[in-house]
Amino acid sequence: MKEMVVGSEMARREAPSPPPQALVERLKDYGQEDVFSFWGELSNEERDQLVRDIEGLDLPRVDRIIRCSLGSQGPPLPAIEPVPENCVSTVEERTLTERERWWKRGLKAISEGKLAVVLLSGGQGTRLGSSDPKGCFNIGLPSGKSLFQLQAERILCVQKLAAQSGDGPSTVTPIHWYIMTSPFTDEATRKFFENRKYFGLDAGQVTFFQQGTLPCVSRDGRFILETACKVAKAPDGNGGLYAALKSSKLLEDMAMRGVRYVDCYGVDNALVRVADPTFLGYFIDKGVATAAKVVRKAYPQEKVGVFVQRGRGGAIAVAEYSELDSSMASEINQSTGRLRFCWSNVCLHMFTLDFLNQVAHALEKDSIYHIAEKKILSIHGSTMGIKLEQFIFDAFTYAPSVALFEVLREEEFAPVKNANGASYDTPDSARLAILRLHSRWVVAAGGFLTHSVPLYLTGVEISPLASYSGENLESICRGRTFHAPSEITF
């Protein structure tokens, strides 16, 4: 009898305590109480982990985003129209005088500390066969430099050019580099920079910050559990930049530093001209809220987003390739000979700081995210669910004024998205784009090339520390012969 009483007391002591009642009530308010379905099967440590995971969510904000996004069918979008010709600066229309004026104006603004650079670097190199951040990737150049190093050295070069452009003493003004990571890339990115001494930059001019994550949800808006004690989450898209800048108070930080213009780009473009003085000078000259570099579509059915106008006289926006049927994608503008919808979005943007502040508040207020139905790793295995994302180009529909600036694909756009062996956007294709461009620079500066394999398969690499965009190479190259492949430094 005594043994039965003791056993009964032990059973009472070991009976699972219920979830915190206040938290259960909060979750019921948002229809998410199912996250405690497995509570009775969890250890005390796992219960604590689940509670911390839920308490880390901004439930009112998350609920607002889910409701607004899943319920945002609304009226159909206005029919898309081509971007007005007067919104675009095309390569062939630019004069040498304009290019020189924009270059000088951009360098002056940089020397005055008015430009900051934002790098979108939240992605891993999964499709490249690596779990490292994409920026760590070595695309096989003679120098062996990573994407991060190429970009850092371009910043160093622009700083030097800006310092030398004035009439006074050549004092270098640092360009502040804000690097947006994700929970999956943050620690590895920081260590990569620290271990390489920030590639010659001052550690104080680099700021890392994380984009947010949002719970993955079912079609009816319920949280999906990754494990019994963890809600499945995914990064909130590269448009999470705006919320991240706002929540990290980095917009205030930029203002405190005297920044007025912000250059923003994606990490996986091997040819990106970071802090491009010509683009900055053009942007300032136009006096617009935001601008984007664009390249012409390579062919009508190319799977890229293009800039459009939402309705005649409407906002400038980006339409995904799926919005254009085959006939629309192939239409020709008879007056220009170009495709009617030809200006591809390549994630090279410029914003005023004032507009970034406005759009960060507007996007948060509207809380409408794109819905991406994808396979989610869940407690039940791989299951179909919804990831909620914003895109960097979502800001354009809020802009009172937009300008587009055409650049040549072979000079400024070499994406690194797929592993070698794929038909496009590989490390090999990006490496060749750099080698070919730099080979043209050498020849233009009076140099010569020798090569043991066909030149279309090789070339030379010019260190960004020696030249930003082909300038100042005569003293290095004129009359000299370089064997490809090789790196040309000072």
Side-chain angles (χ1 to χ4, degrees):
M1 186 72 176
K2 183 177 180 181
E3 288 179 0
M4 288 179 63
V5 171
V6 171
S8 172
E9 289 175 353
M10 287 180 65
R12 281 198 301 273
R13 284 200 303 269
E14 292 174 3
S17 57
Q21 189 59 34
L23 188 56
V24 172
E25 294 303 321
R26 284 185 64 209
L27 287 166
K28 282 183 178 178
D29 289 342
Y30 305 113
Q32 302 291 357
E33 65 274 16
D34 287 353
V35 294
F36 287 127
S37 297
F38 300 94
W39 183 264
E41 302 170 23
L42 302 180
S43 66
N44 288 335
E45 184 179 346
E46 289 170 330
R47 291 173 193 160
D48 289 343
Q49 183 181 338
L50 178 59
V51 168
R52 286 195 303 271
D53 192 44
I54 296 167
E55 288 179 339
L57 298 173
D58 184 344
L59 287 173
R61 176 176 182 266
V62 170
D63 179 69
R64 184 174 71 249
I65 289 171
I66 292 170
R67 284 188 295 101
C68 291
S69 303
L70 296 188
S72 65
Q73 301 304 313
L77 290 169
I80 59 175
E81 298 284 340
V83 171
E85 289 293 316
N86 62 4
C87 287
V88 189
S89 168
T90 60
V91 171
E92 66 262 21
E93 290 172 349
R94 274 174 227 144
T95 65
L96 178 61
T97 302
E98 283 178 322
R99 293 199 305 269
E100 288 178 345
R101 183 178 79 246
W102 293 335
W103 174 264
K104 290 176 182 176
R105 189 164 191 175
L107 288 177
K108 183 174 186 294
I110 291 168
S111 70
E112 294 169 347
K114 293 179 179 177
L115 179 71
V117 172
V118 172
L119 166 59
L120 308 175
S121 184
Q124 295 168 292
T126 310
R127 281 193 282 172
L128 300 169
S130 170
S131 60
D132 292 331
K134 273 189 183 178
C136 302
F137 201 80
N138 168 6
I139 63 173
L141 290 168
S143 66
K145 291 175 181 176
S146 64
L147 295 171
F148 280 142
Q149 183 169 355
L150 293 172
Q151 293 161 21
E153 290 184 355
R154 286 170 192 151
I155 290 174
L156 285 166
C157 187
V158 171
Q159 289 178 172
K160 183 178 71 173
L161 290 169
Q164 295 169 347
S165 66
D167 298 326
S170 56
T171 304
V172 171
T173 302
I175 297 171
H176 205 87
W177 198 11
Y178 296 87
I179 300 177
M180 186 175 80
T181 64
S182 69
F184 312 105
T185 63
D186 186 73
E187 184 179 358
T189 301
R190 291 173 188 263
K191 285 183 178 177
F192 195 79
F193 273 73
E194 290 167 6
N195 293 341
R196 290 156 183 80
K197 302 187 186 307
Y198 293 83
F199 310 105
L201 294 167
D202 187 324
Q205 76 181 96
V206 181
T207 297
F208 299 97
F209 66 106
Q210 287 191 49
Q211 71 183 102
T213 60
L214 286 170
C216 302
V217 298
S218 58
R219 287 188 177 89
D220 60 358
R222 303 274 183 144
F223 292 165
I224 293 174
L225 287 174
E226 181 177 324
T227 67
C229 55
K230 184 181 181 183
V231 175
K233 304 180 194 72
D236 53 6
N238 60 16
L241 166 72
Y242 306 111
L245 287 174
K246 184 172 180 285
S247 63
S248 302
K249 300 193 181 303
L250 291 179
L251 296 171
E252 292 92 328
D253 183 75
M254 290 177 186
M256 183 186 68
R257 297 176 188 275
V259 168
R260 293 180 60 186
Y261 314 109
V262 181
D263 181 25
C264 180
Y265 69 98
V267 71
D268 56 6
N269 180 2
L271 280 175
V272 61
R273 291 188 183 177
V274 188
D276 180 1
T278 303
F279 185 37
L280 175 58
Y282 165 78
F283 179 65
I284 296 171
D285 217 28
K286 294 293 285 186
V288 291
T290 182
K293 286 184 175 181
V294 292
V295 300
R296 297 187 193 197
K297 286 182 76 173
Y299 50 92
Q301 306 309 324
E302 184 180 14
K303 293 184 177 181
V304 292
V306 292
F307 280 92
V308 300
Q309 191 171 43
R310 292 287 182 189
R312 195 171 296 278
I316 302 297
V318 173
E320 290 298 326
Y321 64 87
S322 55
E323 288 189 59
L324 275 69
D325 61 34
S326 180
S327 61
M328 287 180 69
S330 302
E331 288 175 5
I332 301 294
N333 181 328
Q334 297 302 324
S335 63
T336 64
R338 296 190 298 262
L339 293 171
R340 290 186 74 223
F341 300 97
C342 71
W343 302 121
S344 302
N345 170 43
V346 290
C347 197
L348 299 170
H349 304 315
M350 191 78 72
F351 304 101
T352 65
L353 183 58
D354 287 343
F355 176 63
L356 273 184
N357 270 295
Q358 294 166 20
V359 81
H361 286 87
L363 283 169
E364 183 66 23
K365 178 185 175 185
D366 291 351
S367 296
I368 297 176
Y369 283 60
H370 300 269
I371 293 171
E373 291 202 39
K374 296 185 178 179
K375 288 184 178 179
I376 311 292
L377 186 64
S378 79
I379 193 171
H380 303 297
S382 182
T383 184
M384 289 304 295
I386 290 172
K387 293 183 178 181
L388 297 161
E389 301 173 320
Q390 284 184 329
F391 299 141
I392 192 77
F393 56 72
D394 289 340
F396 282 86
T397 55
Y398 294 87
S401 52
V402 177
L404 304 182
F405 187 82
E406 184 195 5
V407 296
L408 297 177
R409 186 184 295 254
E410 60 268 27
E411 292 184 357
E412 298 198 38
F413 186 53
V416 184
K417 295 184 181 296
N418 304 309
N420 285 329
S423 57
Y424 59 92
D425 296 349
T426 65
D428 279 351
S429 64
R431 173 177 55 81
L432 281 173
I434 291 177
L435 296 180
R436 289 168 180 166
L437 174 64
H438 292 188
S439 295
R440 294 196 294 274
W441 290 356
V442 168
V443 173
F448 303 92
L449 297 175
T450 61
H451 44 93
S452 51
V453 298
L455 193 55
Y456 67 85
L457 292 175
T458 186
V460 293
E461 173 192 1
I462 296 174
S463 167
L465 299 174
S467 181
Y468 179 78
S469 56
E471 77 292 331
N472 301 332
L473 288 174
E474 287 79 5
S475 61
I476 300 173
C477 298
R478 185 169 299 281
R480 293 181 62 189
T481 299
F482 303 92
H483 185 77
S486 61
E487 182 194 16
I488 300 171
T489 55
F490 289 102

